[in-house]
């Protein structure tokens, strides 16, 4: 083999070229810190963080493997042992799983199946590594090469090219020949720099005619730190920082030598490109505060990993200053000649971003920094720090536990997140990413984790001799992304133009309305008469012995009511929903003690709202979900609450009282708010079922009572409100997940709606629980050796009572959940008993989250509305009685504004495009209690102030939705329930009404008196005449 040291004249020319060519990169060193100094993303940008777009048309989609992890055949056809063979066969590491990679994925034999797997994915390239000890068993490239190994890799490369798959070849992925470790001490010895150069030259010469992308080595940071510093990886040496620093120094020089070899001898003929794969974590400053000190700490953390190798190669040929300060004399130095050797020795930036670096990154943070898997930010840092290089993500992916098998659901969402972050870096930040290799193609031996974790797109049963490749659900997902070349916009995500009907409820929701028993002025309670300034001090003094009469407060005397109404009126809302306090109205739970003052206060609210032409939805029972009484009167809760049928009877009497006292002002009643959430407070499945049963009966009885005794008089509509988050299959490629999502909806919604409404397919099922739910519970009971279902049975009387006991469907919708079946291993755990529906709730990490962790998923609203339409038909109207999101902004609540527009867009699509009989949308809620959260109004220092979302909602209301022309909506009188203006005048002018009544009565009495007098006089005259005639 030739020695590739350059002659002095070449060094001079190279120096000039490097100085000229590296000015841009060298000047940019340290610029990466600007990534933390950039302004924080606007809240709207954060909630719209998932990018629907395509990758460049020539994007290099890929998947990858490494030789040691997948090839197996560790001692076959002339292969020599590697340091990893020795490491796994020995007892050097006590942390290593007791497993070896002797067979692993058997890719040396099953390479054709690997190519078929690549074809299945539809990728354009394959990243794999050559086994140095397979090609040169003794590690010495001056020795004859192993012809079997050369033939194997030649066949693989040829087949890839036949299938139009570009090979991306790594020369060294950690499997150093064991002989080099034993003879020279491995990478601690500078001798290996020259030996690697000779090995690389052989590979370039032998395979380079068919390979356009070369990677000299993979993630040298882990080799240096784990292999020679901590001993966690082969060769298992524990040399500490000193050992790691020497090894890294030699790895950098070995890479540089290989690059120069290609550049000098092969580039002109082969036209390929050479780089090195560098791994890194990502870190954010303490509490997100980008102070100079915090930013410097973050910069140093990244420099300690990727900068350790990238600064010499992509920068100024030397280590970062932060490493020099940190390690001092331990850090080897580059001579001027070596700086020229290593500088600018990569044709593109190859990045590894995965769990190995992120794990180690946690040990590098200090002072509250946070390690986070943010690929977009890391790519942006690379662009700023190293002068905008072209980038290949040579390793991107995560891991799953081995027990997950082929159903690697969580890995789908992590892949989705990383791929979209790469897309954002390209489209939004201008980073020149030209390819992405998902790691890995097949399950393999995961280094110190052995076979306990999996990273493959294709599942391999390592207990099977065939090592059959079976696509996991991540393979199916990646295949779809590759086919779509990214994340194209869905037709359903486009905005529609149009208006809601004139009778649409534009509402605001509250929970239990706080009752203020005392009016705002002392004139209603203080009986004293006062004199002012009697002693010249300007104060009031009570007059002794004198008392005055007080008058009863009027509704308008309660400032709390006035303030409340003022806020409602300013929103432009046509409807308002609030809840009564059952335990306040009936403290004992029965009619023995009725709080008439509380009822009077509620009447005041209702009458004043009526004056504003605001229609009201009143909730009879709004569970608090808090101890001790969950909103029930104390005695009822003490006697068993909803597990005791007596509570059903008590609720019936309470409902009658409310109908009688308040019914004249209430057009819409909600009997119980979110009974499907209330039952969660009960621990056992049996208790949940009985509580749900009694809640359903309580609602039905209250509904029947109204229909029988009050409907003809006031004609209100009565319903119950269900919490109705949409359930999306966590893994759309698995029937079990699709079934779990449907089952979740049946337990959440069907449990209450099926008995009341039946279904469009089976009307006879009305009056009973969903048959699918019953069958599932019976099946679970059989598995546990129990006969029958845990669901209570309806008696014939109860069945008739619940049938049809619903005037409209009321939903409280906030977000969407990912649903998967409960893991079987957790099912069998005594500590973690699954819920009755055996569903596990997950969240998509690409969904934007509010401060309280609520996912903002507008399209879920449309989906749940369509599910209800398909199951229960279109006869009953649907009203969304609560929907909102928390926003910590005190006034400029941009997240809530986006929520309102996007969720109402989906509501309009459901109504306009899908034919859903949607008749209302109520925003949750009117006002914050203490800190900025869900309110349209903030309440700081006892003063209410409208947030920006109030204006946004008012504008949508005024336009009636999203019209093409953005004009204000005007409805014809025939389209509306016209208010009675005479009634309104009479209500407003009660004094005039009384005075007019008195005048009218007086006029009638005077008229009657005059008529009486006239009639009497006429009769008297007649009698007199008749008397004269007789005489």
């Amino acid at each position: 083999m030739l020695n590739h040291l350059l002659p002095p004249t070449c060094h001079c020319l190279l120096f000039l070229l490097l100085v000229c060519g590296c000015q841009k990169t060298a000047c940019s060193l340290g610029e990466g810190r600007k990534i933390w100094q950039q302004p924080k993303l606007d809240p709207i940008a954060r909630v719209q963080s998932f990018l629907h777009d395509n990758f460049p048309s020539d994007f290099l989609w890929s998947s990858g493997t490494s030789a040691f992890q997948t090839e197996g055949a560790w001692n076959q056809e002339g292969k020599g042992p590697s340091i990893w063979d020795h490491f796994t066969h020995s007892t050097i590491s006590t942390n290593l799983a007791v497993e070896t990679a002797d067979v692993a994925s058997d890719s040396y034999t099953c390479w054709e199946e690997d190519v078929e797997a690549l074809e299945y994915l539809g990728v354009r390239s394959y990243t794999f590594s050559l086994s140095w000890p397979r090609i040169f068993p003794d590690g010495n490239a001056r020795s004859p090469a192993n012809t079997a190994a050369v033939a194997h890799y030649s066949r693989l490369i040829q087949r890839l090219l036949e299938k139009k798959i570009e090979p991306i070849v790594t020369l060294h992925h950690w499997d150093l020949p064991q002989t080099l470790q034993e003879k020279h001490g491995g990478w601690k010895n500078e001798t290996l720099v020259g030996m690697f150069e000779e090995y690389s030259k052989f590979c370039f010469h032998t395979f380079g005619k068919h390979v356009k992308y070369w990677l000299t080595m993979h993630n040298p940071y882990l080799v240096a730190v784990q292999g020679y510093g901590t001993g966690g990886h082969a060769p298992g040496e524990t040399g500490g920082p000193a050992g790691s620093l020497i090894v890294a120094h030699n790895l950098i020089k070995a890479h540089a030598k290989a690059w120069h070899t290609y550049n000098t001898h092969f580039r002109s003929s082969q036209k390929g490109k050479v780089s090195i794969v560098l791994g890194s974590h990502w870190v954010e400053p303490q509490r997100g505060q980008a102070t100079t000190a915090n930013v410097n700490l973050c910069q140093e953390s990244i420099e300690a990993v990727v900068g350790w190798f990238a600064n010499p190669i992509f920068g100024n040929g030397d280590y970062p200053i932060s490493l020099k300060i940190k390690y001092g004399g331990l850090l080897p130095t580059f001579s001027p000649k070596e700086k020229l050797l290593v500088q600018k020795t990569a044709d593109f930036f190859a990045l590894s971003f995965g769990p190995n670096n992120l794990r180690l990154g946690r040990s590098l943070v200090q002072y509250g920094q946070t390690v986070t898997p943010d690929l977009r930010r890391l790519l942006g840092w690379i662009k700023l720090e190293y002068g905008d290089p072209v980038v290949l993500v040579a390793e991107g992916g995560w891991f799953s536990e081995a027990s997950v098998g082929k159903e690697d659901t969580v890995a789908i969402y992590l892949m989705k997140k990383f791929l979209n972050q790469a897309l954002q870096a390209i489209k939004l930040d201008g980073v020149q990413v030209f390819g992405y290799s998902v790691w890995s193609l097949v399950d393999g031996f995961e280094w110190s984790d052995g076979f306990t974790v999996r990273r493959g797109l294709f599942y391999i049963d390592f207990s099977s001799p065939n090592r059959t490749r079976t696509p996991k659900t991540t393979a199916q997902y990646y295949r779809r992304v590759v086919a779509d070349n990214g994340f194209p916009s869905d037709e359903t995500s486009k905005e529609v133009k149009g208006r809601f009907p004139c009778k649409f409820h534009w509402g605001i929701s509250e929970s239990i309305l706080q009752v203020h028993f005392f009016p705002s002025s002392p004139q209603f309670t203080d009986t004293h008469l006062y004199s002012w300034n009697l002693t010249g001090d300007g104060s009031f003094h009570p007059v002794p012995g004198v008392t005055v009469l007080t008058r009863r407060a009027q509704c308008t005397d309660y400032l709390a009511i006035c303030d409340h109404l003022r806020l409602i009126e300013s929103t432009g809302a046509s409807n308002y929903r609030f809840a009564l306090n059952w335990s306040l109205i009936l403290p004992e739970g029965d009619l023995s003690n009725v709080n008439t003052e509380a009822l009077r206060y509620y009447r005041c609210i209702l009458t004043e709202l009526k004056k504003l032409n605001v229609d009201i939805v009143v909730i009879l029972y709004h569970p608090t979900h808090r101890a001790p009484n969950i909103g029930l009167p104390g005695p009822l809760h003490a006697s068993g609450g909803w597990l005791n049928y007596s509570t059903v009877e008590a609720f019936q009497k309470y409902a009658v009282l409310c109908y009688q006292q308040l019914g004249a002002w209430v057009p819409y009643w909600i009997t119980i708010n979110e009974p499907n959430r209330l039952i969660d407070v009960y621990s056992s499945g049996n208790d949940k079922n009985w509580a749900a049963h009694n809640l359903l009966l309580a609602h039905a009885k209250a509904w029947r009572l109204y229909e029988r005794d009050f409907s003809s008089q006031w004609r209100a509509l009565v319903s119950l409100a269900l919490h109705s988050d949409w359930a999306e299959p966590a893994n759309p490629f698995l029937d079990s997940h699709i079934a779990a999502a449907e089952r979740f909806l049946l337990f959440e919604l069907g449990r209450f709606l099926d008995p009341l409404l039946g279904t469009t397919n089976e009307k006879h099922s009305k009056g009973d629980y969903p048959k699918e739910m019953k069958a599932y519970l019976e099946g679970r009971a059989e598995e546990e050796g129990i006969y029958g279902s845990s669901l209570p049975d309806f008696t014939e009387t109860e069945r008739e009572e619940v049938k049809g006991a619903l005037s409209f469907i009321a939903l409280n919708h906030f977000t969407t959940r990912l649903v998967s079946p409960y893991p079987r291993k957790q099912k069998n755990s005594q500590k973690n008993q699954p819920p009755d529906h055996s569903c596990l709730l997950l969240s998509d990490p690409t969904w934007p989250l509010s401060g309280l962790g609520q996912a903002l998923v507008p399209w879920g609203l449309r989906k749940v509305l369509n599910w209800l339409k398909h199951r229960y038909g279109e006869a009953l109207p649907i009203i969304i009685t609560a929907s909102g999101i928390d926003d910590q902004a005190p006034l400029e609540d941009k997240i809530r504004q986006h929520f309102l527009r996007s969720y109402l867009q989906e509501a309009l699509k459901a109504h306009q495009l899908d034919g859903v009989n949607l008749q209302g949308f109520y925003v949750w809620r009117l006002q914050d209690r203490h800190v900025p959260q869900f309110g349209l109004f903030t309440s700081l220092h006892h003063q209410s102030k409208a947030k920006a979302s109030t204006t946004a909602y008012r504008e949508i209301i005024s336009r009636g939705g999203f019209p093409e022309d953005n004009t204000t909506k005007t409805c014809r009188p025939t389209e509306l329930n016209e208010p009675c203006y005479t009634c309104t005048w009479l209500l407003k002018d009660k004094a005039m009404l009384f005075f007019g009544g008195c005048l009218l009565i007086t006029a009638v009495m005077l008229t009657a008196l005059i008529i009486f007098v006239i009639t009497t006089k006429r009769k008297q005259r007649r009698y007199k005449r008749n008397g004269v005639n007789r005489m």
Side-chain angles (χ1 to χ4, degrees):
M1 292 293 173
L2 295 174
N3 190 320
H4 304 300
L5 292 175
L6 300 177
T9 52
C10 291
H11 279 304
C12 294
L13 290 170
L14 181 62
F15 174 78
L16 291 173
L17 287 170
L18 287 174
V19 168
C20 296
C22 294
Q23 284 302 308
K24 178 181 176 183
T25 303
C27 290
S28 70
L29 286 177
E31 293 295 296
R33 69 184 69 244
K34 289 181 179 178
I35 198 80
W36 294 286
Q37 296 167 338
Q38 292 172 352
K40 289 185 178 179
L41 281 177
D42 181 272
I44 296 301
R46 285 206 310 273
V47 300
Q48 295 174 322
S49 58
F50 190 84
L51 181 62
H52 287 278
D53 206 338
N54 294 107
F55 285 85
S57 58
D58 59 348
F59 195 73
L60 205 60
W61 293 106
S62 181
S63 187
T65 59
S66 79
F68 176 77
Q69 291 180 279
T70 60
E71 279 187 354
W74 80 285
N75 60 355
Q76 295 177 23
E77 296 193 342
K79 178 186 175 295
S82 71
I83 57 173
W84 270 95
D85 290 317
H86 181 261
F87 190 63
T88 55
H89 289 166
S90 68
T91 57
I92 297 173
S93 174
T94 57
N95 297 323
L96 186 67
V98 187
E99 295 164 320
T100 68
D102 293 356
V103 180
S105 318
D106 202 18
S107 285
Y108 186 73
T109 303
C110 303
W111 64 272
E112 291 176 294
E113 286 88 335
D114 288 346
V115 176
E116 289 172 4
L118 293 164
E119 285 188 282
Y120 172 88
L121 297 173
V123 295
R124 294 182 52 226
S125 63
Y126 177 38
T127 306
F128 67 95
S129 71
L130 306 175
S131 172
W132 189 351
R134 189 178 296 280
I135 296 174
F136 293 105
D138 62 356
N140 189 351
R142 296 176 185 271
S143 305
N146 180 356
T147 55
V150 172
H152 165 72
Y153 292 121
S154 297
R155 285 193 301 269
L156 173 59
I157 292 169
Q158 193 60 41
R159 180 66 61 84
L160 290 170
L161 294 174
E162 289 171 6
K163 300 296 183 181
K164 296 182 170 33
I165 298 172
E166 192 76 47
I168 300 175
V169 182
T170 303
L171 294 172
H172 176 51
H173 195 132
W174 304 1
D175 52 345
L176 185 73
Q178 176 63 18
T179 54
L180 299 185
Q181 180 65 32
E182 293 173 354
K183 190 173 181 180
H184 302 288
W187 285 109
K188 292 182 299 182
N189 194 324
E190 193 175 3
T191 303
L192 264 70
V193 173
M195 301 192 77
F196 183 75
E197 178 189 12
E198 292 173 345
Y199 163 63
S200 67
K201 183 172 184 180
F202 173 86
C203 295
F204 294 148
H205 174 78
T206 306
F207 308 112
K209 187 168 69 172
H210 304 294
V211 177
K212 300 305 176 188
Y213 295 98
W214 288 98
L215 302 168
T216 56
M217 55 187 68
H218 189 94
N219 209 341
Y221 173 84
L222 293 178
V223 175
V225 173
Q226 294 279 72
Y228 292 87
T230 66
H233 283 186
E237 296 198 2
T238 54
S244 296
L245 292 168
I246 292 169
V247 167
H249 199 70
N250 290 332
L251 288 167
I252 291 169
K253 290 193 290 185
H255 154 77
K257 289 276 191 179
W259 186 89
H260 282 295
T261 295
Y262 189 86
N263 195 55
T264 303
H265 298 283
F266 302 100
R267 188 182 298 278
S268 60
S269 60
Q270 295 181 1
K271 313 293 185 188
K273 295 180 179 181
V274 182
S275 188
I276 179 173
V277 180
L278 303 180
S280 185
H281 62 299
W282 183 248
V283 67
E284 292 291 347
Q286 182 183 27
R287 298 190 187 96
Q289 297 173 354
T291 63
T292 301
N294 283 347
V295 167
N296 288 339
L297 288 171
C298 290
Q299 177 77 3
E300 290 169 13
S301 179
I302 301 300
E303 286 178 348
V305 182
V306 70
W308 187 358
F309 299 87
N311 267 45
I313 295 168
F314 292 91
N316 59 6
D318 203 356
Y319 294 117
I321 294 173
S322 60
L323 261 68
K324 293 181 179 182
I325 294 171
K326 180 178 180 179
Y327 294 113
L330 281 179
L331 186 68
T333 58
F334 291 109
S335 67
K337 184 177 178 181
E338 287 174 333
K339 287 181 182 179
L340 290 175
L341 176 75
V342 301
Q343 192 178 27
K344 202 72 174 178
T345 55
D347 303 317
F348 56 92
F349 198 109
L351 176 66
S352 168
F353 190 73
N356 293 318
N357 272 97
L358 287 164
R359 283 171 182 166
L360 284 181
R362 293 192 181 95
S363 65
L364 298 171
V365 298
Q366 49 191 324
Y367 307 113
Q369 295 163 302
T370 304
V371 173
T372 177
D374 197 327
L375 178 58
R376 176 184 175 184
R377 299 271 281 171
L378 177 57
L379 289 169
W381 183 88
I382 290 167
K383 175 186 177 182
L384 291 171
E385 186 76 8
Y386 299 115
D388 195 17
V390 293
V391 180
L392 168 69
V393 180
E395 177 190 0
W398 208 249
F399 66 89
S400 299
E401 296 295 327
S403 58
V404 167
K406 297 182 279 289
E407 300 180 0
D408 51 346
T409 302
V410 174
I412 287 178
Y413 291 96
L414 290 169
M415 179 192 293
K416 177 183 177 183
K417 178 179 180 178
F418 294 151
L419 288 172
N420 200 258
Q421 286 176 346
L423 180 62
Q424 291 172 52
I426 295 168
K427 296 290 185 177
L428 305 180
D429 307 329
V431 183
Q432 299 183 74
V433 182
F434 70 89
Y436 192 106
S437 184
V438 170
W439 205 269
S440 63
L441 178 64
V442 296
D443 284 337
F445 185 84
E446 290 301 328
W447 310 112
S448 56
D449 291 314
F451 297 114
T452 60
V453 299
R454 305 293 186 99
R455 294 188 68 187
L457 295 171
F458 285 78
Y459 174 80
I460 293 179
D461 180 358
F462 292 109
S463 65
S464 168
N466 296 327
R467 298 297 200 267
T468 304
R469 276 86 168 124
T470 306
K472 300 181 186 179
T473 50
T474 43
Q476 297 177 61
Y477 179 75
Y478 186 47
R479 180 189 193 189
R480 189 169 72 186
V481 174
V482 170
D484 292 338
N485 197 34
F487 306 93
S489 295
D490 190 339
E491 284 295 317
T492 60
S493 65
K494 293 181 179 178
E495 279 201 1
V496 296
K497 295 295 183 180
R499 287 188 166 111
F500 291 95
C502 281
K503 294 182 181 180
F504 193 77
H505 295 207
W506 295 102
I508 296 171
S509 281
E510 273 292 346
S511 56
I512 296 173
L513 196 67
Q514 187 175 356
V515 174
H516 298 269
F517 285 111
F518 301 104
S520 57
S521 172
Q523 64 178 299
F524 309 110
T525 57
D526 193 348
T527 59
H528 291 99
L529 179 67
Y530 293 87
S531 62
W532 176 72
N533 204 26
L534 189 63
T535 58
D537 59 357
S539 61
F540 288 95
H541 297 274
V543 178
V546 179
T547 60
V548 295
L549 295 175
T550 60
R551 72 173 176 86
R552 193 180 186 191
Q554 302 299 310
C555 291
T556 50
D557 294 324
Y558 290 90
L559 273 182
I561 293 179
C562 297
D563 292 343
H564 207 70
L565 296 177
R566 177 177 54 81
L567 298 185
I568 295 169
E569 188 176 22
S570 68
T571 65
S574 61
N575 294 71
Y576 180 58
R577 189 203 81 159
F578 71 88
L580 307 177
N581 189 335
W582 183 3
S583 61
L584 179 67
I585 295 172
L586 298 178
E588 303 303 320
D590 56 29
L591 300 179
S592 64
N593 182 8
V594 178
N595 190 332
T596 56
E597 283 302 307
L599 286 170
R600 181 171 180 271
Y601 188 87
Y602 289 132
R603 275 196 299 273
C604 283
I605 284 281
L606 294 171
T607 53
E608 295 304 310
L609 284 168
K610 202 70 174 176
K611 291 177 187 179
L612 298 177
N613 293 325
V614 174
D615 278 344
I616 306 122
V617 179
V618 173
I619 301 169
L620 291 173
Y621 173 48
H622 193 292
T624 61
H625 307 286
R626 289 195 302 268
N629 298 336
I630 59 173
L632 284 172
L636 294 180
H637 187 265
S639 64
W642 289 107
L643 299 179
N644 191 329
Y645 186 78
S646 64
T647 304
V648 176
E649 296 169 331
F651 183 75
Q652 191 175 1
K653 294 173 184 176
Y654 164 63
V656 170
L657 175 68
C658 295
Y659 294 154
Q660 289 171 341
Q661 297 293 319
L662 309 174
W665 298 275
V666 181
Y668 299 94
W669 290 97
I670 299 289
T671 55
I672 303 165
N673 187 67
E674 298 190 353
N676 52 344
R677 284 286 65 76
L678 171 58
I679 63 175
D680 290 341
V681 304
Y682 296 96
S683 54
S684 73
N686 191 56
D687 284 355
K688 289 178 193 289
N689 291 335
W690 272 108
H693 193 74
N694 286 333
L695 285 161
L696 194 53
L697 293 177
H699 158 76
K701 287 179 180 296
W703 190 91
R704 293 287 171 199
L705 269 168
Y706 191 90
E707 286 295 302
R708 186 183 69 232
D709 300 335
F710 302 98
S711 180
S712 60
Q713 183 179 2
W714 292 315
R715 302 190 180 282
L717 302 179
V718 183
S719 183
L720 82 169
L722 296 173
H723 190 96
S724 57
D725 291 340
W726 174 244
E728 188 73 7
N731 196 322
F733 305 103
L734 296 174
D735 291 339
S736 61
H737 284 235
I738 295 168
E742 181 68 16
R743 186 168 67 248
F744 180 82
L745 290 170
L746 289 174
F747 273 76
E748 284 285 294
L749 303 178
R751 178 204 292 265
F752 292 92
L753 293 178
D754 272 35
L756 298 168
L757 303 177
T759 64
T760 54
N761 296 328
E762 298 181 7
K763 289 295 182 185
H764 65 273
S765 67
K766 191 186 292 187
D768 202 359
Y769 294 114
K771 64 175 186 179
E772 306 98 320
M773 180 181 175
K774 293 173 74 174
Y776 182 78
L777 289 175
E778 287 170 3
R780 272 195 60 180
E782 281 184 23
E783 288 180 8
E784 297 169 6
I786 304 170
Y787 178 75
S789 167
S790 58
L791 279 175
D793 291 320
F794 289 100
T795 65
E796 281 305 315
T797 302
E798 291 171 345
R799 196 182 301 275
E800 291 303 315
E801 201 161 35
V802 299
K803 280 183 182 180
L806 205 68
S807 308
F808 62 97
I809 299 174
L811 307 176
N812 299 341
H813 176 84
F814 293 86
T815 189
T816 291
R817 312 282 185 179
L818 294 179
V819 177
S820 74
Y822 214 84
R824 187 164 294 277
K825 66 175 183 178
Q826 291 185 34
K827 269 189 187 181
N828 299 328
S829 169
Q830 293 297 319
K831 293 182 180 178
N832 299 307
Q833 283 300 310
D836 277 357
H837 48 59
S838 298
C839 294
L840 193 64
L841 301 184
L842 309 170
S843 184
D844 185 336
T846 66
W847 288 346
L849 298 177
S850 70
L852 295 178
Q854 178 183 323
L856 200 156
V857 193
W859 49 261
L861 174 58
R862 184 180 179 186
K863 288 200 170 188
V864 76
L865 289 172
N866 273 283
W867 185 88
L868 290 165
K869 173 194 169 187
H870 293 144
R871 188 165 182 88
Y872 303 112
E874 305 168 41
L876 285 185
I878 300 174
I879 299 175
I880 300 159
T881 48
S883 187
I885 195 167
D886 63 286
D887 191 327
Q888 273 70 49
L891 294 174
E892 290 298 321
D893 52 346
K894 294 184 178 181
I895 294 175
R896 183 177 294 102
Q897 293 177 64
H898 176 72
F899 178 94
L900 288 173
R901 293 189 181 101
S902 58
Y903 273 61
L904 279 165
Q905 258 290 316
E906 295 303 311
L908 182 62
K909 291 173 189 175
H911 172 73
Q912 189 168 288
L913 304 180
D914 308 331
V916 175
N917 187 8
L918 181 64
Q919 294 191 8
F921 184 96
Y922 289 67
V923 174
W924 174 265
R925 60 190 300 171
L926 181 66
Q927 189 171 18
D928 293 324
R929 292 290 172 87
H930 303 292
V931 295
Q933 280 191 359
F934 287 88
L936 292 171
F937 292 84
T938 188
S939 181
L940 296 174
H941 310 298
H942 306 289
Q943 291 186 339
S944 300
K945 194 166 184 179
K947 301 179 186 178
S949 57
T950 307
T951 303
Y953 189 40
R954 185 169 59 242
E955 288 176 355
I956 295 171
I957 293 172
S958 68
R959 294 169 185 157
F962 306 91
E964 288 278 2
D965 53 6
N966 282 334
T967 56
T968 301
K969 182 172 185 177
T970 55
C971 292
R972 295 188 301 276
T974 53
E975 295 180 88
L976 296 167
N977 292 324
E978 273 290 278
C980 173
Y981 294 106
T982 304
C983 301
T984 304
W985 180 86
L986 290 174
L987 284 169
K988 284 183 178 178
D989 300 289
K990 292 178 182 177
M992 288 295 293
L993 176 64
F994 178 76
F995 180 68
C998 291
L999 286 178
L1000 180 62
I1001 292 168
T1002 304
V1004 170
M1005 292 179 68
L1006 283 173
T1007 303
L1009 181 61
I1010 291 168
I1011 293 170
F1012 175 77
V1013 171
I1014 294 171
T1015 305
T1016 303
K1017 287 183 177 180
R1018 284 179 178 174
K1019 286 181 178 180
Q1020 287 176 349
R1021 289 193 201 102
R1022 193 179 302 120
Y1023 291 149
K1024 287 180 181 179
R1025 281 198 296 269
N1026 290 341
V1028 172
N1029 291 337
R1030 287 193 193 101
M1031 292 174 67

